[in-house]
Amino acid sequence: MSSFEQILSSPPPININTSDIAHDLFPFVTVYKNGTIKRHFGQPAMPAPENLNGVRTKDVVVSSHPKVIARVFLPEFLTPGEKLPVLLYYHGGGFCIESALSACYTPYTSSIASACKVIVVSVDYRLAPEHKIPACYDDSWEALKWVVSHASGSGPDPWLNQHGDLGRVFLAGDSAGANISHTLATWAGVKGLESGVKVSGIILVHPFFGNDKPDKLWNYCCSDETGIDDPRLNPAADPDLLAKLACGRVLICTAENDFLSPRGWAYYEALKKSEWKGEVEIVETKGMGHVFHLFNPNCEQAGSLMKLVASFIKDDKVHSLL
């Protein structure tokens, strides 16, 4: 069991006066009747390091209205004109905690850039409950459009202009971020992307999807009332939309001891049964829990997971099991 799952299975602290609580979404957030929102989990933001894991880093504004920031990671020692795939990363945290700028995600996404030799654009979308769903999807879509604006080599960011291969764009994320990656791939299929850019693949690590039961966190964080029939929460609810997934390849990574693992497998089965024409692979890490690679990034299994992601980006065949 991961640290996150230990917290998830623990009761709220006994010193909380429950009469003051309007909404108890422990371990993510507690919303009090006076409007105060307390987050119980997540790491603080850190400044963009000049260099981390052999990767240059900076923060950029990808949208002004609303203001959306992304942290961009560029591997060092590139030759002039060398082009790399571009991977948009969407962090996890139940749509309501964590940040692309945090001390958790900054080292991890820099490691992706280094190990996979890609440009990573890690998106700091707005969080619920202050900003209800679909704010997270809208911000993430703005970031994808910002990346696409560099297709002609004349976008706002010189790193992407000089080194981004917009013919190889990937969407990736863990937990809620994996959910966002899937949803954006369906949006791209329905709305299309300017400049003829296509999404090469999506990488869903320990994805947060719903099942056939109401989800308390989703219902509170979402401005709509579609519940388990919402295809953003439950992709199998709309097979026609699932078939419009705008990529040719999907990699789903689950963990054997993760409480969300069955939902990743259900997504895999729904995608295979749909009219989508791409290739989907699923890989399960034995003996590990939810987002273990974030809590223990130096463990053997985390290293294997990173190699798996790198292999997928290079369009190599991955192994069926870790």
Side-chain angles (χ1 to χ4, degrees):
M1 180 180 291
S2 69
S3 300
F4 176 78
E5 289 182 299
Q6 290 173 347
I7 292 175
L8 190 66
S9 62
S10 301
I14 59 175
N15 60 345
I16 289 182
N17 187 345
T18 56
S19 65
D20 296 332
I21 295 176
H23 299 279
D24 179 17
L25 303 171
F26 188 85
F28 296 100
V29 295
T30 298
V31 182
Y32 294 89
K33 292 178 180 178
N34 65 3
T36 300
I37 297 173
K38 179 178 176 58
R39 287 180 164 82
H40 300 287
F41 203 78
Q43 296 191 22
M46 62 179 288
E50 182 176 337
N51 183 291
L52 185 62
N53 297 318
V55 174
R56 298 166 62 192
T57 309
K58 66 179 176 182
D59 294 340
V60 299
V61 176
V62 302
S63 172
S64 297
H65 303 288
K67 186 174 182 180
V68 182
I69 296 172
R71 183 157 285 180
V72 185
F73 302 83
L74 177 72
E76 286 195 313
F77 310 118
L78 299 179
T79 59
E82 183 177 357
K83 298 289 187 178
L84 301 180
V86 180
L87 184 146
L88 286 98
Y89 195 88
Y90 303 106
H91 68 81
F95 306 103
C96 59
I97 62 171
E98 270 297 348
S99 164
L101 316 181
S102 78
C104 171
Y105 279 97
T106 294
Y108 178 66
T109 43
S110 70
S111 296
I112 294 176
S114 177
C116 303
K117 204 167 185 182
V118 296
I119 300 174
V120 175
V121 179
S122 186
V123 183
D124 199 42
Y125 54 83
R126 289 172 293 167
L127 299 177
E130 296 94 333
H131 305 281
K132 296 278 192 175
I133 295 169
C136 58
Y137 299 115
D138 293 337
D139 293 356
S140 299
W141 180 251
E142 289 300 316
L144 176 56
K145 291 196 298 182
W146 180 83
V147 167
V148 169
S149 73
H150 296 81
S152 65
S154 57
D157 185 74
W159 287 3
L160 286 171
N161 286 334
Q162 295 170 19
H163 297 291
D165 180 354
L166 275 297
R168 292 183 291 166
V169 174
F170 293 85
L171 308 179
D174 63 272
S175 199
N179 175 299
I180 293 172
S181 298
H182 159 78
T183 298
L184 259 62
T186 62
W187 285 18
V190 173
K191 301 178 182 182
L193 294 172
E194 295 180 8
S195 306
V197 174
K198 297 184 182 299
V199 177
S200 297
I202 61 175
I203 301 166
L204 312 182
V205 179
H206 309 167
F208 167 67
F209 292 121
N211 51 22
D212 58 353
K213 298 179 181 178
D215 188 283
K216 180 180 179 181
L217 180 65
W218 174 270
N219 289 341
Y220 180 72
C221 290
C222 189
S223 61
D224 305 322
E225 297 182 358
T226 52
I228 59 175
D229 295 324
D230 192 321
R232 297 170 300 185
L233 176 64
N234 180 13
D238 191 341
D240 291 338
L241 181 61
L242 192 58
K244 295 178 181 178
L245 202 64
C247 61
R249 300 166 60 231
V250 174
L251 173 63
I252 307 162
C253 303
T254 63
E256 182 182 24
N257 297 338
D258 181 5
F259 67 106
L260 291 177
S261 178
R263 304 183 194 185
W265 281 94
Y267 173 83
Y268 169 73
E269 294 297 338
L271 194 54
K272 285 203 306 178
K273 292 177 183 178
S274 75
E275 297 298 319
W276 178 67
K277 303 301 183 183
E279 297 181 2
V280 57
E281 299 175 87
I282 188 166
V283 178
E284 183 154 287
T285 303
K286 297 300 183 182
M288 304 302 285
H290 191 63
V291 295
F292 67 88
H293 57 293
L294 297 178
F295 294 105
N296 191 4
N298 296 318
C299 70
E300 179 182 353
Q301 292 88 342
S304 297
L305 182 60
M306 185 68 77
K307 291 178 181 177
L308 182 68
V309 171
S311 179
F312 180 80
I313 292 171
K314 293 176 183 176
D315 201 12
D316 295 334
K317 292 296 182 181
V318 301
H319 298 294
S320 59
L321 292 173
L322 284 179

